[in-house]
Amino acid sequence: MGRYVLSRLGQALVTLVLASIIVFLGVRALPGDPALALAGEQADPETLAAVRADLGLDQPVPVQYWAFVKSLAQGDLGTSIATGLPVSDLITTTLPVTLWLSLYALLVAVIIGIGAGVVAAVYRGRWPEWIANGFTLVALSVPSFWLGLLAIVYLAIGLNWFPASGYVPVTEEPLRALYYLTLPAVVLGTGLAAVIMRQTRSSMLDTLSADYVRTARAKGLPNRQVIGRFALRNSLIVVVTIIGLQLGGLISGAVVTERIFGLPGFGKLTLDSVFTRDYPVIQAVVIITTFGYIFINLAIDLLYSLIDPRIRVSGSSQ
């Protein structure tokens, strides 16, 4: 177990280094000049040269990258070109908004997706499966931005059930914060719920036809116990994998949702930094997102052995 974790941590470190190089070069390949964006369109060449020297942009790219890596290793994410504030302060302010939104959306997606998937598999060929399949088709077909606009028009403005925009920190007023995040979380989690539903249904159909499930039923175990203890538990391995892979997409998908509902989150910060060519913010955002993605995948791998004791972290099975 220890060797496996160390091996995965080593792979994660290599991935982070490669990601930092790609991000660093990719950001500098963006069109536009951050010095011009900071100094203004009317700035003269001497002012632009002074701004570039102040930001270190007049140095060769390898020198800039090495300075970036040294600062990152010391926990210094730099200073925002656009606002002049430390990047760590900006991320500390905005990241909790996106994390709460993503976790809430994930909870919504897991409850709806697994519940609908189990119902569709158990009631195969009957009306509950048709309803579940219809939900999946709609959820995968409608873009999240359009679903968000419809939710604002009908649920927020028309019925006044939820606020159309706004944010309250969870640490200050938890219940009010959940009230404000409910509509964005449902919009963000709907697509993932459809994916989870399809995987749960498919995996459940396979396990329900397995010999050990038929044996459990032949022994007279209640149907609820057979489904929950044997079929669903063994189906969750595939579902957990899908959730882990989709969680990164959920966080990146929050960019659109935060924009629609006016949430001051990580996605809005990313979008604003791209428009202003704010290199330090873009680099920090992508590096932190990459780290989060690697951590999630590592956690998913470790969860396998908890869900199915037959699976060993070495990759072999009994």
Side-chain angles (χ1 to χ4, degrees):
M1 182 71 177
R3 291 179 59 187
Y4 174 76
V5 173
L6 288 176
S7 172
R8 290 306 309 270
L9 289 176
Q11 295 174 18
L13 183 61
V14 172
T15 306
L16 271 177
V17 172
L18 294 176
S20 68
I21 296 174
I22 294 172
V23 169
F24 189 84
L25 297 177
V27 167
R28 275 148 184 80
L30 290 174
D33 185 354
L36 184 63
L38 183 63
E41 296 287 343
Q42 306 302 325
D44 53 71
E46 290 76 14
T47 304
L48 289 176
V51 172
R52 289 195 184 94
D54 185 53
L55 298 176
L57 298 176
D58 58 340
Q59 300 293 322
V61 172
V63 176
Q64 294 183 41
Y65 175 72
W66 180 242
F68 165 67
V69 171
K70 284 199 300 183
S71 300
L72 194 63
Q74 297 170 356
D76 181 11
L77 298 177
T79 303
S80 169
I81 295 176
T83 64
L85 297 173
V87 176
S88 55
D89 289 353
L90 295 175
I91 290 177
T92 303
T93 304
T94 56
L95 184 57
V97 180
T98 302
L99 287 180
W100 281 115
L101 173 62
S102 300
L103 289 175
Y104 198 0
L106 180 64
L107 179 64
V108 171
V110 167
I111 292 175
I112 296 177
I114 292 181
V118 171
V119 169
V122 173
Y123 295 95
R124 186 181 186 185
R126 287 180 277 178
W127 64 267
E129 185 193 18
W130 303 337
I131 294 178
N133 288 337
F135 161 76
T136 303
L137 183 63
V138 173
L140 291 176
S141 303
V142 179
S144 61
F145 75 89
W146 183 245
L147 186 63
L149 294 176
L150 290 177
I152 290 175
V153 170
Y154 291 104
L155 298 181
I157 299 175
L159 299 175
N160 200 27
W161 286 355
F162 301 98
S165 63
Y167 174 75
V168 175
V170 177
T171 53
E172 294 181 3
E173 297 182 66
L175 294 179
R176 195 155 174 257
L178 291 179
Y179 174 62
Y180 273 85
L181 285 177
T182 295
L183 205 54
V186 171
V187 171
L188 183 60
T190 299
L192 179 58
V195 176
I196 293 175
M197 179 269 169
R198 291 170 62 94
Q199 293 297 328
T200 304
R201 174 185 173 278
S202 175
S203 188
M204 281 284 295
L205 288 176
D206 289 338
T207 53
L208 285 173
S209 61
D211 291 340
Y212 62 88
V213 172
R214 286 199 292 267
T215 302
R217 282 177 169 159
K219 287 184 176 180
L221 291 178
N223 194 44
R224 180 179 299 179
Q225 186 175 354
V226 172
I227 293 173
R229 183 177 177 183
F230 296 100
L232 180 59
R233 181 174 180 179
N234 288 286
S235 302
L236 285 180
I237 296 174
V238 178
V239 177
V240 168
T241 304
I242 295 300
I243 292 174
L245 294 176
Q246 293 290 329
L247 189 56
L250 196 67
I251 295 175
S252 60
V255 175
V256 177
T257 307
E258 289 175 1
R259 199 71 176 179
I260 293 174
F261 290 93
L263 297 175
F266 208 49
K268 185 176 182 299
L269 175 67
T270 306
L271 210 56
D272 293 342
S273 61
V274 170
F275 286 144
T276 57
R277 308 294 186 271
D278 201 341
Y279 288 176
V281 176
I282 299 174
Q283 291 168 173
V285 164
V286 178
I287 288 296
I288 291 176
T289 305
T290 304
F291 177 79
Y293 206 92
I294 292 171
F295 175 78
I296 290 168
N297 278 277
L298 177 62
I300 294 300
D301 285 346
L302 297 178
L303 272 176
Y304 285 161
S305 61
L306 298 178
I307 295 174
D308 188 348
R310 296 171 302 173
I311 298 178
R312 293 292 178 262
V313 292
S314 61
S316 61
S317 60
Q318 289 182 340

